[in-house]
Amino acid sequence: MRIRKLVSIALAGVMTMSMAVGCGSSSSSSSSSDKKVLRVGMECAYAPFNWTQDTDKTPDGSKAEKIYGSDFYAYGYDVAVARKLADELGMDLEIHKVEWSSIGISMDSGEYDCIIAGMGRTAEREMAYSFTEPYYYRDNCIVVKKGGKYENVTKLSDLADTGCKATTQLGTGWVPLLDQIKGADTGSNYETTSECLMAVSNGVADVCIVDLPTAESALLTNDDLKIIQFDEDDTFTGDDEMVNVCIATRKDDTDLRDKLQGAMDSIGWNDKAKMDELMDTVITQQPAAE
């Protein structure tokens, strides 16, 4: 009888502990699931759209976001827009840093759910992903060495048959534009835009095709570079696809795409003036711009 009584007491104790743990677990799970997470992939190396910094502070008091699985933080135009959309949707924001060459593969594998990374909406990409309407409109340009052989070009035909070494970022919609520079040496492209621009600065390349905000950002710390926008009557063709910067989701995740589009509509993020104002602000917030 004594043994049976001790076993009963022990079982009661175990049940009590299990109930306590179960209640705590249920509360924690409920708390963590109350707010969904917007998981966003970006390079965190494509200023002024996105960059990496050491702290969550910015000069104007805006808050940089912690990079998932890292001790560093991300900020820039993409981060600021992602925060606006997450707040509008009542979601937490999670920033994932990823190399550009694998940004689509990593989303498809489930590491994050959307790409907000200065990505141009092209016909080729629309075969693989679903896109929102643009959250930014950008102009394209070339960057050359100030005082160099190409600083006075004003149109695309000025580069024809010069044998210039032209470069851009791998895996972008600018790559096909290189072929439009007649007779150019187009053998070397780079993983990041900063590497492309450094190649021009170092004389390894003569011409870099890039977007205007990125070029303006680079000139903050590289005064040996010059931005050139071609004459409208003599410029690249087909580059209008790279003008539309959109959010990408997995091809079949139209639900998230539509939620993001709805949030953009709700906060009026189809106003180019608002977009330009934010871009002008974040360019001044880069660590290099302080």
Side-chain angles (χ1 to χ4, degrees):
M1 291 290 294
R2 180 177 177 80
I3 293 175
R4 186 177 298 173
K5 184 175 182 180
L6 287 172
V7 170
S8 298
I9 292 172
L11 286 172
V14 170
M15 288 177 66
T16 301
M17 290 177 63
S18 297
M19 288 174 66
V21 171
C23 289
S25 174
S26 175
S27 174
S28 173
S29 173
S30 174
S31 173
S32 63
S33 64
D34 281 346
K35 206 169 185 181
K36 293 185 178 180
V37 179
L38 181 62
R39 302 187 305 159
V40 179
M42 61 181 68
E43 286 178 274
C44 302
Y46 178 35
F49 287 93
N50 52 76
W51 66 78
T52 299
Q53 57 184 57
D54 295 331
T55 73
D56 66 348
K57 302 291 191 300
T58 63
D60 72 349
S62 299
K63 185 175 179 295
E65 300 289 339
K66 189 77 177 288
I67 297 173
Y68 181 80
S70 165
D71 292 329
F72 295 98
Y73 296 81
Y75 196 61
Y77 185 88
D78 292 328
V79 179
V81 170
R83 167 49 62 194
K84 290 176 184 293
L85 299 181
D87 288 346
E88 179 65 21
L89 292 169
M91 301 174 74
D92 286 327
L93 178 61
E94 193 173 277
I95 301 295
H96 290 250
K97 183 174 183 176
V98 60
E99 289 187 358
W100 181 255
S101 58
S102 59
I103 198 164
I105 295 171
S106 296
M107 179 172 71
D108 286 337
S109 70
E111 290 184 27
Y112 41 84
D113 302 308
C114 66
I115 297 169
I116 306 180
M119 178 181 275
R121 183 180 64 196
T122 66
E124 181 179 359
R125 287 176 180 155
E126 285 188 292
M127 296 174 67
Y129 314 116
S130 289
F131 285 95
T132 64
E133 291 302 307
Y135 69 93
Y136 187 71
Y137 297 93
R138 64 183 167 202
D139 292 322
N140 297 314
C141 66
I142 65 167
V143 176
V144 300
K145 182 87 168 179
K146 187 185 292 184
K149 180 179 178 181
Y150 301 97
E151 74 162 350
N152 294 318
V153 304
T154 60
K155 48 189 183 292
L156 180 60
S157 59
D158 288 341
L159 295 175
D161 298 318
T162 62
C164 65
K165 296 177 182 177
T167 188
T168 192
Q169 186 180 15
L170 288 165
T172 66
W174 295 309
V175 174
L177 304 185
L178 292 170
D179 294 334
Q180 297 183 34
I181 306 176
K182 184 182 176 184
D185 178 352
T186 59
S188 299
N189 295 324
Y190 297 89
E191 179 67 32
T192 65
T193 53
S194 59
E195 290 174 287
C196 298
L197 294 162
M198 185 61 68
V200 174
S201 183
N202 292 337
V204 176
D206 299 311
V207 175
C208 171
I209 305 175
V210 72
D211 64 87
L212 187 59
T214 299
E216 291 173 337
S217 172
L219 263 65
L220 292 173
T221 52
N222 296 274
D223 59 5
D224 60 339
L225 299 177
K226 180 179 179 180
I227 297 170
I228 295 173
Q229 290 184 273
F230 288 143
D231 187 296
E232 290 183 3
D233 297 325
D234 190 350
T235 186
F236 295 110
T237 59
D239 65 337
D240 54 321
E241 286 188 323
M242 289 298 287
V243 170
N244 297 322
V245 182
C246 304
I247 301 172
T249 66
R250 287 182 285 274
K251 185 67 175 177
D252 60 354
D253 195 357
T254 54
D255 182 57
L256 178 58
R257 179 203 62 191
D258 293 345
K259 285 180 180 178
L260 291 167
Q261 185 62 59
M264 289 169 60
D265 295 340
S266 294
I267 64 174
W269 212 253
N270 50 10
D271 184 338
K272 191 174 184 301
K274 284 184 179 180
M275 299 174 188
D276 290 342
E277 181 181 6
L278 178 60
M279 181 61 81
D280 289 344
T281 299
V282 297
I283 284 177
T284 68
Q285 301 308 299
Q286 297 172 79
E290 294 178 15

